[in-house]
Amino acid sequence: MLTNRQLFLDHLAQTTDFPLMIEIVNAEGIYMYDPDGKAYIDLISGIGVSSVGHRHPRVVAAAKEQLDKYMHLMVYGEYVQSPQVKLAEAITKTLPDNLDAIYLVNSGSEAVEGALKLAKRYTGRPHILSAVNAYHGSSHGALSAGGNEIFKRNYRPLVPGHSHIPFNDMAALEQINNQTAAVILETVQGEAGIRVASQDYLSAVRKRCNDVGALLILDEIQAGFGRTGKFWAFEHYDVVPDIVVSAKGMGGGMPIGAFISSKAIMDVLKENPILGHITTFGGHPVSAAASLAALQVTIEEKLPEQVAEKAALFKQQLKHPKIKEIRNLGLMMAVAFESFEVLKPIIDRAIELGVVTDWFLFCDNAMRIAPPLTITPEEIKKACSLILQAIDEVTD
């Protein structure tokens, strides 16, 4: 009989020639377990997904309870489904008053696609502006908004009307003009290696959008739902977007995303044409129920309020001559080394020692740290000790 590892290689489409190939049979809290019972500390939360930990009991209970009622009933937007409407209500309570209309989708990429379509439809304008080294997803529209040519060049032609400006560059904001439907930015650039927007920059983007009538879309697919120490990362700034997109940590481990705007803006999807954005599985009732539980856990367990202290502990513990810099906003962290050639053996050895980290798509000399927000101080110290051990063992 073929092993799961061989079946993985034989029948699942591969994304690289070097997958991690860790086989996991169970996960709980910050830990994942292989078939031999070896525990791995998950310091990347499945890339920002398991913010309340793997299989949080309230998330599991909510999903099971919904399974006993119904699963898919109808394409999104036709039937009144309790998990969807309760989740939408709960999300709006975390947001400014102008962000009161939630369109539930399946993923971050789809949320970005919906947001870009919405901006074009509302403004009647053709142009989208985004940032160099932005990552907004892998579908054609989201990839067009992405800002790294290496990941785009072999898929051209992409969606026309996209251009890119340097992140945190004030002078480049002059490119926002009366043909700009929207500026889409990550409040914290994730795959660029945790590049945090400055207060002055984000305020200037907001003002320029207001001046020319463009919409501001903030991508909080990685940064939202408590990751930075606020429920939404833009709460660190005196700036409110016209559209915000969310996914990843939103689902408590289940697939879900959303693009969120005002009723006035969102209503343009209802006509000319009707069904301006369609999704069959968006807001799936089981995912929506899990997402509501994850939101409630995040708020009721005061997870965002604990983030700053936990991030400070990581920075205190991770001191080593090989570590050149630590960039972060909350528990969205990049631990920078001299090069990928230095970093990769450290990551590999850390996995052998039982700690899973990663690097960034557009910043391969920095280690990604984005643990479940539920991680304890003792677990942080244990994980950091193993990372330091890995550094010592593989570097001179």
Side-chain angles (χ1 to χ4, degrees):
M1 179 181 291
L2 294 177
T3 66
N4 284 340
R5 290 169 66 86
Q6 192 59 53
L7 292 170
F8 173 91
L9 293 170
D10 287 351
H11 299 299
L12 278 182
Q14 303 294 300
T15 58
T16 72
D17 287 325
F18 45 90
L20 289 175
M21 293 288 287
I22 305 170
E23 184 174 354
I24 300 299
V25 298
N26 190 30
E28 188 168 359
I30 70 162
Y31 291 98
M32 305 178 295
Y33 300 90
D34 74 9
D36 297 322
K38 179 179 177 179
Y40 295 87
I41 297 173
D42 184 0
L43 279 194
I44 53 175
S45 304
I47 314 298
V49 170
S50 303
S51 292
V52 297
H54 293 281
R55 296 179 60 249
H56 191 288
R58 289 180 61 179
V59 174
V60 172
K64 286 181 176 179
E65 181 181 353
Q66 184 57 41
L67 281 169
D68 285 335
K69 296 177 179 177
Y70 57 84
M71 293 185 280
H72 177 77
L73 299 176
M74 180 58 165
V75 298
Y76 177 82
E78 296 297 331
Y79 292 172
V80 178
Q81 300 183 53
S82 176
Q84 292 180 352
V85 297
K86 288 182 178 178
L87 174 60
E89 178 192 32
I91 292 173
T92 59
K93 288 180 178 178
T94 71
L95 288 160
D97 290 344
N98 68 306
L99 296 170
D100 60 355
I102 317 290
Y103 196 119
L104 296 171
V105 292
N106 303 286
S107 68
S109 289
E110 189 184 336
V112 168
E113 296 286 345
L116 297 178
K117 286 175 63 180
L118 179 61
K120 286 183 175 181
R121 175 67 182 86
Y122 182 76
T123 64
R125 297 176 177 182
H127 191 230
I128 302 292
L129 202 63
S130 51
V132 174
N133 280 340
Y135 183 77
H136 297 293
S138 196
S139 52
H140 257 65
L143 188 62
S144 302
N148 188 287
E149 185 61 24
I150 292 172
F151 282 79
K152 298 165 64 167
R153 63 169 65 115
N154 288 328
Y155 298 100
R156 292 190 179 279
L158 293 170
V159 178
H162 284 263
S163 58
H164 302 84
I165 57 176
F167 191 67
N168 271 335
D169 185 328
M170 293 289 204
L173 300 185
E174 293 182 4
Q175 296 183 44
I176 306 171
N177 57 41
N178 60 11
Q179 292 299 298
T180 306
V183 178
I184 179 169
L185 297 171
E186 298 161 274
T187 317
V188 180
Q189 283 198 309
E191 298 310 318
I194 313 303
R195 311 292 176 173
V196 182
S198 73
Q199 176 67 65
D200 289 347
Y201 176 71
L202 215 54
S203 296
V205 175
R206 174 72 277 178
K207 182 178 186 304
R208 181 68 176 170
C209 286
N210 290 345
D211 289 346
V212 304
L215 300 185
L216 174 59
I217 304 170
L218 289 182
D219 178 340
E220 300 225 349
I221 290 167
Q222 288 195 49
F225 269 65
R227 169 86 23 213
T228 68
K230 302 283 189 181
F231 196 89
W232 301 101
F234 68 79
E235 293 181 75
H236 293 281
Y237 304 85
D238 187 22
V239 169
V240 176
D242 301 293
I243 305 172
V244 63
V245 294
S246 179
K248 288 191 180 289
M250 175 181 175
M254 291 290 285
I256 195 167
F259 60 102
I260 306 163
S261 191
S262 66
K263 288 282 290 182
I265 293 174
M266 197 73 82
D267 277 353
V268 301
L269 296 178
K270 298 194 299 186
E271 58 183 10
N272 194 26
I274 63 168
L275 304 173
H277 192 71
I278 306 171
T279 171
T280 296
F281 293 113
H284 190 282
V286 179
S287 290
S291 179
L292 177 59
L295 184 154
Q296 291 168 337
V297 166
T298 301
I299 293 173
E300 292 170 18
E301 296 187 8
K302 301 187 184 304
L303 297 181
E305 289 87 338
Q306 302 169 32
V307 161
E309 184 175 346
K310 291 177 180 179
L313 183 57
F314 268 108
K315 295 173 82 169
Q316 177 191 61
Q317 295 289 309
L318 288 175
K319 294 186 183 298
H320 193 282
K322 294 293 183 180
I323 295 174
K324 304 303 181 184
E325 179 188 15
I326 298 179
R327 299 183 296 271
N328 77 296
L329 187 61
L331 286 173
M332 228 178 143
M333 311 186 80
V335 181
F337 294 82
E338 182 177 347
S339 66
F340 179 72
E341 289 69 29
V342 172
L343 172 62
K344 182 60 164 61
I346 295 169
I347 288 175
D348 292 343
R349 180 58 182 147
I351 290 174
E352 292 173 355
L353 294 172
V355 179
V356 177
T357 65
D358 193 13
W359 63 91
F360 298 89
L361 287 179
F362 313 144
C363 182
D364 65 5
N365 72 317
M367 176 186 288
R368 183 197 308 267
I369 292 183
L373 306 184
T374 53
I375 193 169
T376 66
E378 293 73 22
E379 291 166 339
I380 291 172
K381 291 175 183 177
K382 178 180 178 181
C384 290
S385 175
L386 292 171
I387 291 172
L388 294 175
Q389 180 182 339
I391 296 172
D392 285 336
E393 289 182 359
V394 301
T395 60
D396 296 330

